Amino acid sequence: MDGLNVSIAFFFLVFGLCQVLRWLSKRFLSPGTHGCLAREFAGSFQLCTSCLELRMLMDIGPWGGGFGLDVLLTLLFLLSAVHGASLDGASANPTVSLQEFLLLESSLAATVAKLLAQGGGAGTGWAVTRLYWSWELTQLHFIQNLIAPECSSSIRASLPHAAFVEGSCSFLFHLVLLKVRQSHLLYRVPVLAATVTFLTYTAGPYTGAFFNPALATATTFHCSGSSFWDYIQVYWLGPLAGMLAALLLFQGNIPRLFQKNLLYSQKSKYRVPKAKVTAQVEDDKPQKKRKGGKSNSEPRA
């Protein structure tokens, strides 16, 4: 369990470093630069380093560290919750940034800046994690260094099946995200963390369940066993298609491309039942009669 304790300490160190980076950028940078660059860079760096260390534990831990899948899934849920609570408005996911662009919530320049920052953060996270592994603080890291140069592709299914799996994970994740994105943080964070944990447990054996193009690029694109175009189809086009399908199903349209709702009719949410309208009309008639017949009921001189 010593290896697990060192990994947990590494998670805390990365989280603290990213929090300091967010605080410094918010204090000394303009809001636009902080939102589009520093915040996304810190989020992607935190996500990539945590994911690489956790994947190492999942690959080597059960036989090299003596802890089971229940410990790893619990750790995944907690890391996902901490990550979601500390993002400070960042997405650290290219498909989420593109979704915001399609929803008219972000400009083209801001979206491009976010994508570049996410790629830079993921690449830096990969380099820092590899450096951390090279120190071989635990036996798990020693084993990881031995097998890292000969890593194999995370695609363990046929290409169409793998692309469908990543697209389905992205579809479900974005559907849940669209549903809870306006909810309170105390509700949104555990729901998204549970969704990520479930999708990773279900789809992990087939593709690794990244459903994040930046994270997948930094994690598995350098491994042998699949071509670059195979990786593009599975980890870029698959999640992008899943995001578009979720957005179309949830919204009925894609606001950036067209305003017309293709799936749902535009009807008013508030209707007055006909029975109530009829009752009101019938109730008004006797009142009018009483008002009109008031002079007849008065005594005559």
Side-chain angles (χ1 to χ4, degrees):
M1 296 295 289
D2 292 339
L4 182 61
N5 294 333
V6 172
S7 295
I8 293 176
F10 175 72
F11 294 141
F12 277 107
L13 179 63
V14 169
F15 171 73
L17 179 63
C18 291
Q19 284 297 96
V20 171
L21 179 59
R22 293 186 185 99
W23 180 80
L24 291 175
S25 64
K26 186 181 293 185
R27 183 176 179 84
F28 295 106
L29 299 179
S30 63
T33 306
H34 167 71
C36 295
L37 295 177
R39 196 165 58 184
E40 291 291 346
F41 179 90
S44 295
F45 176 84
Q46 177 179 312
L47 178 62
C48 185
T49 52
S50 301
C51 179
L52 286 170
E53 182 72 3
L54 183 60
R55 285 178 60 83
M56 183 274 297
L57 293 176
M58 288 184 171
D59 292 338
I60 305 175
W63 56 271
F67 39 86
L69 184 61
D70 54 342
V71 175
L72 296 172
L73 290 178
T74 302
L75 190 58
L76 173 60
F77 175 82
L78 294 176
L79 284 175
S80 300
V82 171
H83 180 71
S86 62
L87 279 180
D88 191 26
S91 64
N93 189 331
T95 57
V96 177
S97 298
L98 290 174
Q99 175 184 278
E100 294 172 352
F101 172 73
L102 294 175
L103 287 171
L104 305 176
E105 297 176 354
S106 178
S107 65
L108 178 61
T111 302
V112 172
K114 289 178 182 179
L115 296 179
L116 293 176
Q118 289 164 2
T124 305
W126 176 81
V128 169
T129 306
R130 292 294 298 270
L131 176 63
Y132 160 69
W133 286 344
S134 68
W135 297 342
E136 298 182 356
L137 299 178
T138 67
Q139 184 180 3
L140 299 178
H141 294 149
F142 173 75
I143 298 173
Q144 176 64 30
N145 277 336
L146 292 178
I147 65 177
E150 301 179 358
C151 66
S152 57
S153 171
S154 297
I155 302 176
R156 304 182 186 91
S158 63
L159 195 61
H161 185 197
F164 175 77
V165 168
E166 282 293 307
S168 300
C169 289
S170 179
F171 172 78
L172 293 174
F173 173 76
H174 281 275
L175 206 58
V176 174
L177 177 62
L178 288 167
K179 182 67 176 179
V180 303
R181 61 200 299 261
Q182 301 297 336
S183 303
H184 193 275
L185 191 67
L186 292 177
Y187 172 74
R188 183 173 69 251
V189 167
V191 168
L192 290 177
T195 302
V196 171
T197 304
F198 169 76
L199 293 176
T200 302
Y201 172 74
T202 305
Y206 302 102
T207 62
F210 294 102
F211 49 94
N212 183 329
L215 181 61
T217 301
T219 304
T220 193
F221 269 43
H222 62 281
C223 294
S224 60
S226 299
S227 66
F228 181 75
W229 176 239
D230 292 343
Y231 286 130
I232 292 293
Q233 293 182 73
V234 174
Y235 295 115
W236 286 11
L237 299 182
L240 181 60
M243 180 272 290
L244 292 173
L247 182 59
L248 187 61
L249 179 63
F250 187 83
Q251 290 280 123
N253 69 333
I254 300 179
R256 178 70 65 174
L257 302 180
F258 41 81
Q259 296 296 326
K260 184 179 179 181
N261 198 308
L262 303 178
L263 300 181
Y264 312 113
S265 59
Q266 299 292 331
K267 295 182 179 180
S268 175
K269 295 181 180 179
Y270 306 101
R271 298 181 181 179
V272 179
K274 294 182 178 180
K276 292 185 177 180
V277 174
T278 305
Q280 291 177 357
V281 172
E282 292 177 352
D283 290 342
D284 290 342
K285 287 181 179 180
Q287 293 178 2
K288 291 181 180 179
K289 289 181 179 180
R290 286 194 296 267
K291 290 181 180 180
K294 185 176 180 181
S295 58
N296 296 331
S297 60
E298 295 177 354
R300 296 182 181 178

